[in-house]
Amino acid sequence: MAPRKAPQYDDYRVAAQEIILSSSDNDYLDQLIPALKDATNSGRTKGLMQSLSQYADAREGDIERIGMTKHEEFLQSVNQLQQVREGTTALTTEILKLNQSIQSSTEKLAAQKGALVDTSAVRQNIAEASEALRESLKVLHAVNQAHDLIRKKQYYAALKALDDLQNEHLIPTIQNKYATQHRLADIIQKSIPASQKAISEAVMSDLNTWLFRIRETSQFLGEVAFYHTELRRTRQKERMEGNPYLQNFKLNSAIELVFDESEEFDVLDNEELQVDFTPLFECLHIHEALGQSDKFRADYAATRRQQKELLLPSSVNLLEDNENSLSSLLEGIAGFAIIEKATTRRAHSLRSPVDVDELWDSMCNTTVKLITKALDQVDNAEVLLKIKGVIALFIQTMDGWGYSVALLDNFLLKLFEKYAELLKKRFSDDFQEIVSSDDYMPMPISDLDKYDKVVSVSWFTPEMPREELTFPCVLPFSQMYPLCCIDIRNFLNQFYFFSDDHFQQPNVIDEALKKSLDELLSEKVCKSLVERLSSQYLGQIVQILINLEHFEIACKELEQLLIAARSSTSAGGPIILDATEEFRSNKKTAEKRIFELVNSKIDDLVETAEYDWMAPTLETEPSNYMQTLIRYLSNIMNSTLLGLPREIKELIYFDALSHAANMILALPLSPSVKKINPNGTAALAKDVSHLSDFVDGLENAPILKENLDELQQTVLLMQTENPEEFYDISIRNKKFGRVDAMNGPQILEKLTYSVQSPTGTRTDRLANFSSRFGMK
């Protein structure tokens, strides 16, 4: 409480009157002490004394006036006064003593009074200071509580505490300029932005730690997501096996998602991985409370772009499974993109879909460039298939999160082109090796198991039931045919492997497969077989013809297989392989080559004929060349040509006999042969008869024997006793109708005996015959 101020006096006469008229000692002192203090403080003590003296004089004057008017009474009074005076004197002495005592007590009391006043003021000050301190402590307690919440990482509560501190304490105190805590409140108010900045920095620090952990766990998150997609694939395949209709619905389709609803799995919160978005949401909430949402969004977007750049390497290794492999890269990208999509779904205002899609497109473009660059090192189709599998798993996973995968789907087309090229090259080498290393002999089979294996992989329909087979046995084709069939099946399977799980353009596979298969069969099989037709070994040529026959059948089967296997998006209608016609047409080439070799052998044998056309004696045995020729024809029929289809075999035999007959017929017609006697004719007739007997023993002899008609009739003409019959048209058509009109006269001209006729010599008749038919 503040000390009470002494009253101010302009004139002490009133004060003196109040002092004298005081009703009690306490009142007297209460009136006297302020007047003394004022006189002392103002230096007007004489004025006070003068006022008191004037008052005393005025009273004495009154007394004298009263004494003069009432003398007796006055004198009486004087006496009384004298007595009183004496008593008063004594009393005055006592009063003086008492006054001194009172004065002494008054001084002590004044001192005590002053001390009391001072104490009251101090106490008031202390109370006011205590109250101010109490209020200040409340403010400081609120400040400390806010900072304590910051240390406990309760940032939003700390921010709320600072806000409450401002609204409840600081602002009202600052607005009251006379408040004791004004200065403290002002200082604290000025420190609020720093505290808010500390909170902002603290949550950003926690967010950066969270972002670092997210970056570290992105690959594992992607791995978990891939594993979950693989499980979904397996479940969908099992459903498709149980219900073929579901084959029309791929992964991530509405039907698949409905079926998979019972298999709930949160890739961000499971037994292996938990991603807590609390630091992110808290940081967003804090910055919204601070009014810094735009700045935070910009900073967060910049940070994520930096993390995206750190995520993408400068190169990728497609051949090894390590931290720099394609799987690791795609898992990291998948984890990063899943976090982005989850952030967008949980905090709509933080990340715009445009920003997320831009990051996704950037990562996809970079990934495609990295893979394209690394593909130059890949020369193995299986590695490419593995790469496609990883990319397909990545596509299906990210498609499920709503990302656009069109760029990756288009890249799979380029990957397929590379894959098809490698497959074609590898199988081209395999076919080349199979064709070049084949022995071109009928394939021997030692037991039933091996037979079943060969039949199962080859397009081959046995003539006999397997139960009736005896082993060892041989199959008509050579070993190259089943080996090529195995390769063809593998080729088909490996082509369609690329469309497993995910490939949006299966019709491209159908077209590429047909084209590649056509080229392989035409260029590497058919063409290679045709090149080997230049061989002089008849058995090899025959085997090539048989192989061509079976390859033609295989091509027809392949056409049906391709129709059944093609996708629903491919164009309908039949599938025609150019290789089918290639094998069919080149069978004719092989047949011609067989004709050439057989006829060449026949030529060689007939050229060894050593007829003595003017032999002095008659030969009793067929010529050696004829016996060898018949033995050769018999051998090729029963061994070399045995595996050929019946119609081809008969055609070859028919042509061989025709050629042999022509070659034998050419012997007597040779210009070197001038004369032929009956013994020479008999030798030729014996050989022709021996050949005719051989043909009689063959299947379809009547048809085959037609090839010998001209030769037999020519020999008959050489043996005739009446050569003039040849010139009689009616007789010639009946007996010598197959003899060439020019050859007959030449043969007759070489015979050693000469027959006269009424119409002239035989030479004349030949000339007439020639002129009749317009011959020179």
Side-chain angles (χ1 to χ4, degrees):
M1 182 176 178
R4 187 170 55 188
K5 295 182 180 180
Q8 303 292 324
Y9 296 96
D10 297 331
D11 187 355
Y12 287 106
R13 286 178 295 179
V14 177
Q17 187 176 359
E18 292 177 351
I19 293 169
I20 298 299
L21 295 178
S22 298
S23 60
S24 64
D25 291 341
N26 289 334
D27 190 21
Y28 172 80
L29 290 174
D30 287 341
Q31 297 293 334
L32 177 62
I33 289 173
L36 287 173
K37 283 184 177 182
D38 181 69
T40 303
N41 292 334
S42 61
R44 295 190 294 167
T45 306
K46 290 181 180 182
L48 176 60
M49 295 302 293
Q50 185 179 1
S51 296
L52 291 172
S53 297
Q54 289 176 354
Y55 186 81
D57 291 342
R59 299 287 77 79
E60 287 181 359
D62 290 340
I63 292 170
E64 289 179 358
R65 191 169 51 255
I66 293 171
M68 292 298 292
T69 57
K70 296 180 178 183
H71 184 66
E72 292 179 358
E73 293 178 2
F74 179 73
L75 288 176
Q76 189 179 356
S77 298
V78 168
N79 289 333
Q80 291 177 349
L81 287 173
Q82 187 67 33
Q83 293 174 355
V84 172
R85 186 174 182 181
E86 290 177 357
T88 301
T89 301
L91 186 59
T92 299
T93 302
E94 291 180 3
I95 291 173
L96 288 174
K97 291 180 181 179
L98 180 60
N99 185 44
Q100 288 178 355
S101 175
I102 291 173
Q103 186 175 359
S104 176
S105 298
T106 301
E107 289 177 357
K108 290 181 180 180
L109 183 60
Q112 290 176 354
K113 184 74 172 180
L116 179 60
V117 171
D118 291 341
T119 300
S120 298
V122 171
R123 186 176 62 186
Q124 180 68 24
N125 290 338
I126 291 174
E128 292 178 356
S130 178
E131 182 66 23
L133 183 59
R134 190 180 304 109
E135 294 297 327
S136 298
L137 286 175
K138 289 182 181 179
V139 175
L140 292 175
H141 177 71
V143 174
N144 289 335
Q145 184 182 12
H147 285 280
D148 188 50
L149 291 172
I150 294 175
R151 285 191 295 272
K152 292 180 180 179
K153 297 185 180 299
Q154 299 178 10
Y155 301 118
Y156 185 73
L159 197 63
K160 185 68 170 60
L162 289 177
D163 189 54
D164 293 342
L165 173 64
Q166 283 184 297
N167 295 330
E168 295 178 9
H169 299 287
L170 300 182
I171 294 177
T173 303
I174 291 173
Q175 289 176 347
N176 184 7
K177 297 183 179 179
Y178 299 102
T180 308
Q181 305 91 350
H182 183 277
R183 185 177 179 185
L184 176 64
D186 186 56
I187 293 173
I188 294 175
Q189 176 64 26
K190 291 179 180 179
S191 70
I192 292 295
S195 299
Q196 292 176 339
K197 182 179 180 182
I199 293 175
S200 176
E201 291 176 350
V203 294
M204 283 303 296
S205 176
D206 287 353
L207 179 65
N208 289 333
T209 302
W210 180 79
L211 286 172
F212 176 77
R213 291 175 181 170
I214 286 297
R215 176 188 165 196
E216 292 295 314
T217 58
S218 288
Q219 182 177 342
F220 183 60
L221 174 59
E223 185 179 348
V224 172
F226 283 8
Y227 177 72
H228 175 57
T229 303
E230 189 63 48
L231 291 179
R232 289 175 56 204
R233 278 182 177 179
T234 303
R235 291 194 292 268
Q236 182 67 1
K237 287 179 180 178
E238 291 174 354
R239 296 187 199 106
M240 289 189 294
E241 290 174 359
N243 186 356
Y245 176 72
L246 294 178
Q247 294 178 357
N248 298 320
F249 304 100
K250 302 297 183 181
L251 209 68
N252 295 319
S253 65
I255 297 297
E256 186 272 335
L257 293 175
V258 169
F259 271 104
D260 215 54
E261 280 181 345
S262 59
E263 302 291 340
E264 293 185 1
F265 181 81
D266 189 351
V267 72
L268 296 168
D269 186 10
N270 51 76
E271 294 179 357
E272 297 182 352
L273 179 66
Q274 296 83 35
V275 179
D276 184 9
F277 286 87
T278 301
L280 175 62
F281 299 149
E282 185 177 37
C283 194
L284 176 61
H285 200 33
I286 292 296
H287 283 84
E288 285 179 349
L290 292 173
Q292 300 175 356
S293 299
D294 293 340
K295 180 179 180 299
F296 173 68
R297 282 193 291 268
D299 292 344
Y300 183 81
T303 302
R304 291 300 279 169
R305 282 194 295 270
Q306 291 175 357
Q307 287 191 324
K308 183 264 295 184
E309 295 298 331
L310 293 175
L311 178 67
L312 300 173
S314 58
S315 63
V316 63
N317 192 331
L318 301 177
L319 303 178
E320 297 180 5
D321 190 9
N322 53 30
E323 65 279 358
N324 197 34
S325 68
L326 178 61
S327 296
S328 299
L329 171 62
L330 296 184
E331 287 169 356
I333 293 175
F336 182 94
I338 289 172
I339 292 293
E340 285 294 288
K341 188 66 73 172
T343 302
T344 304
R345 293 175 179 176
R346 286 170 167 80
H348 303 288
S349 61
L350 177 59
R351 301 288 285 148
S352 70
V354 174
D355 292 339
V356 174
D357 290 340
E358 284 181 356
L359 283 179
W360 168 251
D361 292 339
S362 174
M363 289 188 293
C364 288
N365 280 312
T366 303
T367 301
V368 168
K369 290 178 182 177
L370 290 174
I371 298 175
T372 302
K373 182 179 179 182
L375 279 178
D376 295 336
Q377 304 172 359
V378 179
D379 57 359
N380 188 300
E382 279 70 23
V383 174
L384 261 184
L385 195 62
K386 182 180 178 182
I387 293 170
K388 182 264 174 181
V390 175
I391 296 176
L393 187 61
F394 175 64
I395 290 174
Q396 290 177 323
T397 301
M398 304 320 296
D399 185 38
W401 280 89
Y403 282 104
S404 172
V405 293
L407 177 65
L408 297 172
D409 280 334
N410 291 333
F411 177 69
L412 285 184
L413 280 176
K414 296 181 180 178
L415 201 64
F416 172 71
E417 293 174 0
K418 174 83 172 179
Y419 177 74
E421 179 184 342
L422 290 179
L423 270 187
K424 183 178 175 182
K425 182 179 183 302
R426 193 186 78 186
F427 280 93
S428 174
D429 295 339
D430 288 348
F431 282 131
Q432 192 72 36
E433 176 66 22
I434 291 171
V435 173
S436 62
S437 61
D438 192 49
D439 57 3
Y440 293 96
M441 297 290 289
M443 185 176 181
I445 300 295
S446 59
D447 54 57
L448 186 60
D449 289 340
K450 187 175 181 181
Y451 174 83
D452 289 338
K453 290 178 181 178
V454 172
V455 172
S456 65
V457 299
S458 306
W459 286 279
F460 170 61
T461 304
E463 295 180 357
M464 295 177 58
R466 62 192 295 276
E467 295 80 8
E468 298 180 7
L469 292 172
T470 57
F471 296 95
C473 66
V474 292
L475 296 178
F477 43 76
S478 65
Q479 189 174 0
M480 69 160 290
Y481 177 68
L483 291 178
C484 285
C485 289
I486 292 173
D487 262 15
I488 290 170
R489 292 181 186 273
N490 289 336
F491 186 70
L492 293 174
N493 291 334
Q494 297 219 14
F495 247 88
Y496 283 115
F497 280 162
F498 202 90
S499 64
D500 284 354
D501 300 323
H502 180 83
F503 190 67
Q504 294 298 94
Q505 285 101 352
N507 57 310
V508 175
I509 293 182
D510 296 333
E511 295 172 3
L513 175 58
K514 176 185 177 299
K515 181 180 178 181
S516 298
L517 191 59
D518 233 346
E519 291 180 2
L520 285 174
L521 290 173
S522 297
E523 297 296 326
K524 299 303 176 181
V525 179
C526 186
K527 188 175 181 180
S528 297
L529 290 175
V530 172
E531 289 175 353
R532 281 163 176 75
L533 290 177
S534 59
S535 171
Q536 298 298 318
Y537 178 51
L538 180 62
Q540 182 175 353
I541 306 302
V542 170
Q543 190 61 60
I544 290 174
L545 176 58
I546 294 172
N547 289 351
L548 289 171
E549 174 76 16
H550 283 87
F551 274 115
E552 181 188 357
I553 296 172
C555 285
K556 294 177 181 178
E557 295 291 337
L558 278 174
E559 290 171 351
Q560 300 304 314
L561 186 61
L562 292 176
I563 292 174
R566 69 185 173 190
S567 67
S568 59
T569 59
S570 296
I575 293 179
I576 305 298
L577 291 174
D578 294 337
T580 307
E581 182 58 33
E582 288 284 333
F583 286 115
R584 182 183 297 115
S585 61
N586 280 296
K587 281 196 309 180
K588 301 296 182 182
T589 306
E591 291 174 11
K592 292 178 181 178
R593 180 60 180 158
I594 292 175
F595 294 157
E596 290 176 3
L597 288 178
V598 172
N599 292 341
S600 176
K601 181 65 175 178
I602 291 173
D603 290 346
D604 293 341
L605 292 174
V606 173
E607 285 178 0
T608 62
E610 297 180 350
Y611 284 110
D612 183 359
W613 298 108
M614 300 298 292
T617 59
L618 184 66
E619 293 288 339
T620 58
E621 295 293 332
S623 303
N624 289 334
Y625 91 89
M626 181 57 68
Q627 295 180 25
T628 304
L629 174 62
I630 292 174
R631 190 163 50 249
Y632 171 72
L633 293 175
S634 177
N635 288 339
I636 64 171
M637 177 62 71
N638 295 319
S639 59
T640 307
L641 304 180
L642 187 62
L644 287 175
R646 179 177 177 179
E647 60 275 10
I648 296 178
K649 184 165 55 177
E650 290 177 353
L651 181 62
I652 292 174
Y653 224 61
F654 189 89
D655 183 79
L657 289 174
S658 175
H659 185 74
N662 292 332
M663 291 300 295
I664 294 172
L665 182 60
L667 292 175
L669 291 172
S670 172
S672 62
V673 178
K674 304 298 183 182
K675 297 291 182 179
I676 302 175
N677 66 14
N679 290 336
T681 299
L684 178 61
K686 186 173 289 294
D687 288 343
V688 171
S689 177
H690 190 60
L691 179 61
S692 177
D693 292 341
F694 168 72
V695 175
D696 286 336
L698 298 176
E699 188 178 1
N700 292 327
I703 297 175
L704 295 175
K705 208 169 181 182
E706 291 178 0
N707 293 293
L708 303 181
D709 286 349
E710 182 179 6
L711 177 61
Q712 288 178 319
Q713 290 182 14
T714 301
V715 172
L716 183 62
L717 177 62
M718 294 173 66
Q719 292 178 320
T720 185
E721 294 179 357
N722 187 10
E724 284 78 6
E725 292 177 347
F726 183 77
Y727 301 105
D728 188 333
I729 298 299
S730 60
I731 298 176
R732 181 167 64 85
N733 289 337
K734 183 182 298 185
K735 295 180 64 175
F736 311 110
R738 299 296 299 273
V739 178
D740 185 86
M742 288 296 297
N743 293 339
Q746 292 181 23
I747 290 292
L748 292 174
E749 190 69 25
K750 294 182 178 183
L751 294 177
T752 56
Y753 53 87
S754 173
V755 180
Q756 298 290 328
S757 104
T759 57
T761 65
R762 194 164 60 186
T763 302
D764 295 335
R765 289 194 299 274
L766 178 59
N768 293 332
F769 180 83
S770 299
S771 62
R772 184 183 304 174
F773 286 94
M775 300 178 183
K776 296 181 181 179

